[in-house]
């Protein structure tokens, strides 16, 4: 005698699968991140947590509803804009919000190790048509201009791409079609293509944030399975930044060696001309120009401010004269290339930053964050109103 029939089991499995897909789709439309300030390490991929493009779009809409009459300012960029080392109340983007006032709403989607258009740039593209006055503000350093699909955060680009959230761009489509794939990139794209129909990533991210995480990480160890909402901003539990020469001295030579390996100082990018002056090679200039052309579709560069964030002058003083010359040249050429492509540029290379503004080679102390916020606010207020150029999906 049969004790059960496979038909009800199959029906139950199918019904459960469909219900999960519907729950994931519903989750993608709402803001699950209450009191969002930034993507601190427990809310991004350093700890195996991957907010989706839909969910970050929902954050921006919740913090700056289209009907609110405020100008949305989306921040992208790397750990400097993320406020590495700055505690919740010291965050430079909070100081930027105070500088700009109620007419603006700042939303910080920067992340450690992110490129110029990672995360924040993707969300800016998603919202550019809905928020025609929105601005994108990001940071980088000379020579580092990876496209959104070519970086450590490429998962977010492909999530937005396959969900149809990005504006159409014929140039980008041609480039993507001609790029070589690897087994890893094919797997990543397949997963995000499937998620655009089934929304399982959105569901997992929601459940992991609100109820229980399912991934063990070396960062969290015994806390790995706690809901991410119960984990406070990682930097709030860290020792305060000590911006003193004695601290910098302890960082030598490791941090100085790391500075020498940054793009701005790379000897492969520069050469001496016939009279002994340092110049950037034509090859590297063409490479930079080509990378910049792939960052954002027109007309979005004209609504974007790229900030070349500073290096600690204490460490710069320990470089050779030739190395400091190459740094200055990289900042200058990078700004010219970005302006040529239509971007607004703020270079902070020689804008009054002092050693006390830093916690290490590049990351800012709370005082440095306030100085940066003031300079960025001035640049934002000086930007012209965006042209009303239509974007298509």
């Amino acid at each position: 005698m049969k004790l059960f029939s496979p038909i009800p089991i199959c029906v139950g499995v199918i019904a459960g699968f469909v219900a999960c897909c519907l729950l994931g789709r519903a989750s993608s439309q709402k803001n699950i991140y209450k009191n969002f300030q930034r993507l601190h390490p427990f809310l991004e991929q350093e700890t195996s947590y991957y907010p989706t493009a839909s969910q970050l779009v929902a954050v921006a809409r919740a913090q700056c509803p289209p009907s609110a009459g405020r100008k949305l300012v989306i921040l992208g960029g790397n750990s400097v804009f993320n406020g590495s080392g700055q505690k919740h109340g010291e965050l430079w983007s909070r100081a930027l919000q105070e500088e700009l006032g109620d007419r603006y709403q700042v939303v910080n989607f920067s992340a450690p190790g992110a490129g110029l258009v990672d995360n924040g740039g993707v969300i800016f593209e998603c919202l550019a048509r809905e928020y025609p006055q929105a601005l994108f503000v990001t940071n980088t350093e000379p020579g580092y201009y990876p496209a959104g699909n070519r970086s450590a955060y490429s998962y977010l680009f492909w999530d937005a791409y396959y969900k149809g959230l990005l504006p159409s761009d014929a140039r980008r489509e041609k480039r993507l079609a001609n790029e070589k794939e690897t087994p890893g990139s094919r797997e990543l794209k397949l997963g995000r293509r499937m998620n655009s129909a089934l929304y399982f990533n959105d569901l997992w991210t929601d459940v992991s944030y609100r109820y229980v995480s399912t991934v063990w990480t070396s960062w969290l160890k015994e806390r790995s399975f706690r809901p991410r909402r119960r984990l406070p901003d990682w930097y709030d539990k860290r020792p305060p930044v000590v911006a003193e020469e004695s601290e910098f001295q302890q960082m030598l030579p490791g941090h100085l060696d790391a500075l020498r390996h940054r793009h701005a100082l790379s000897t492969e990018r520069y050469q001496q001309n016939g009279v002994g002056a340092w110049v950037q090679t034509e090859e590297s200039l063409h490479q930079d120009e080509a990378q910049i052309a792939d960052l954002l579709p027109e007309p979005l560069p004209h609504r974007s401010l790229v900030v070349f964030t500073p290096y600690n002058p204490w460490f710069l003083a320990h470089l050779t004269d030739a190395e400091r010359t190459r740094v200055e040249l990289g900042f200058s050429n990078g700004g010219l290339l970005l302006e040529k492509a239509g971007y607004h540029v703020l270079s902070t290379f020689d804008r009054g930053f002092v050693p006390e503004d830093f916690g290490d080679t590049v990351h800012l102390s709370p005082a440095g964050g306030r100085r940066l916020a003031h300079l960025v606010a001035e640049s934002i207020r000086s930007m012209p109103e965006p042209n009303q150029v239509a974007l298509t999906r």
Side-chain angles (χ1 to χ4, degrees):
M1 182 178 68
K2 290 185 177 181
L3 297 179
F4 62 87
S5 170
I7 296 177
I9 295 177
C10 292
V11 171
V13 169
I14 293 172
F17 179 78
V18 172
C20 287
C21 292
L22 293 175
L23 287 172
R25 184 177 288 271
S27 170
S28 71
Q29 303 301 315
K30 61 185 178 182
N31 175 27
I32 63 174
Y33 303 107
K34 307 304 179 185
N35 303 313
F36 178 88
Q37 291 291 324
R38 62 175 161 186
L39 293 168
H40 61 77
F42 300 151
L43 292 183
E44 47 96 2
Q45 67 180 31
E46 280 188 293
T47 56
S48 299
Y49 186 81
Y50 298 83
T52 69
S54 306
Q55 290 166 335
L56 296 186
V57 164
V59 170
R61 286 176 176 152
Q63 293 201 2
C64 187
S67 60
R70 299 194 300 274
K71 183 177 291 188
L72 177 63
V73 178
I74 294 177
L75 300 183
N78 60 34
S79 55
V80 178
F81 262 29
N82 191 249
S84 178
Q86 299 167 11
K87 298 183 184 299
H88 185 83
E90 304 168 340
L91 193 58
W92 86 275
S93 52
R94 290 174 64 108
L96 176 62
Q97 180 68 71
E98 293 172 1
E99 286 263 357
L100 291 174
D102 294 338
R103 290 186 57 243
Y104 296 82
Q105 179 62 53
V106 177
V107 185
N108 191 346
F109 290 134
S110 59
L116 194 151
V117 295
D118 290 344
N119 288 14
V122 171
I123 305 308
F124 173 61
E125 281 199 54
C126 294
L127 292 171
R129 184 172 63 173
E130 182 178 350
Y131 292 78
Q133 299 299 309
L135 302 175
F136 175 50
V137 183
T138 185
N139 82 299
T140 191
E141 60 185 74
Y144 190 62
Y145 317 109
N149 68 303
R150 298 174 182 161
S151 72
Y153 289 86
S154 60
Y155 88 89
L156 195 74
F157 170 86
W158 290 115
D159 188 68
Y161 180 84
Y162 285 121
K163 286 176 177 173
L165 299 177
L166 301 178
S168 62
D169 178 30
R171 187 180 187 279
R172 175 162 57 195
E173 292 298 328
K174 182 178 180 180
R175 173 174 62 82
L176 294 177
N178 292 330
E179 287 186 348
K180 293 182 179 180
E181 289 190 336
T182 65
S185 67
R186 281 194 293 270
E187 182 179 354
L188 172 66
K189 291 165 66 175
L190 176 60
R192 291 297 154 172
R193 188 194 295 264
M194 292 174 63
N195 183 63
S196 69
L198 304 177
Y199 284 81
F200 48 81
N201 291 125
D202 296 82
L203 178 61
W204 180 87
T205 306
D206 189 349
V207 171
S208 296
Y209 179 76
R210 297 201 292 172
Y211 303 111
V212 59
S213 183
T214 60
V215 177
W216 186 91
T217 75
S218 58
W219 273 65
L220 297 173
K221 297 180 180 178
E222 71 279 358
R223 297 182 296 166
S224 293
F225 305 109
R226 293 183 186 178
R228 295 302 176 99
R229 66 181 175 85
R230 291 179 54 192
L231 300 177
D233 191 319
W234 186 74
Y235 295 110
D236 285 348
K237 299 296 183 180
R238 302 292 294 171
V241 171
V242 180
E244 295 178 357
E245 183 175 336
S246 59
E247 293 292 320
F248 302 149
Q249 192 69 46
Q250 294 181 34
M251 296 177 187
L252 289 174
H255 278 61
L256 187 62
D257 185 59
L259 177 60
R260 286 186 163 124
H261 282 85
R262 302 185 88 90
H263 288 273
L265 280 84
S266 173
T267 54
E268 297 177 356
R269 293 171 51 82
Y270 303 95
Q271 62 187 16
Q272 288 179 287
N273 62 17
V275 296
W278 284 98
V279 295
Q280 190 170 342
T281 66
E282 289 296 322
E283 180 182 7
S284 69
L285 285 169
H286 290 317
Q287 289 175 345
D288 288 353
E289 190 170 22
Q291 286 187 330
I292 289 170
D294 293 338
L295 292 174
L296 291 174
E298 288 290 343
L300 299 185
H302 307 280
R303 296 165 56 181
S304 304
L305 171 66
V306 179
V307 182
F308 282 104
T309 40
Y311 295 149
N312 187 334
W314 189 89
F315 286 92
L316 290 178
H318 285 73
L319 298 175
T320 66
D321 290 342
E323 288 170 333
R324 287 194 296 272
T325 298
R326 292 200 295 270
V327 170
E328 187 171 1
L329 185 61
F331 274 73
S332 175
N333 287 348
L336 292 173
L337 289 175
L338 283 160
E339 288 177 343
K340 179 181 177 182
Y343 292 86
H344 302 272
V345 177
L346 167 62
S347 176
T348 61
F349 178 75
D350 190 20
R351 296 299 299 271
F353 284 86
V354 296
E356 291 75 22
D357 290 328
F358 294 82
D360 56 23
T361 318
V362 296
H363 298 110
L364 298 171
S365 66
R370 291 190 294 272
R371 188 186 301 273
L372 176 66
H374 179 69
L375 292 173
V376 172
E378 284 186 331
S379 293
I380 289 174
R381 285 192 290 262
S382 68
M383 291 174 65
E385 291 296 318
N387 293 326
Q388 301 298 313
V389 179
L391 291 169
T392 58
R393 289 238 195 268

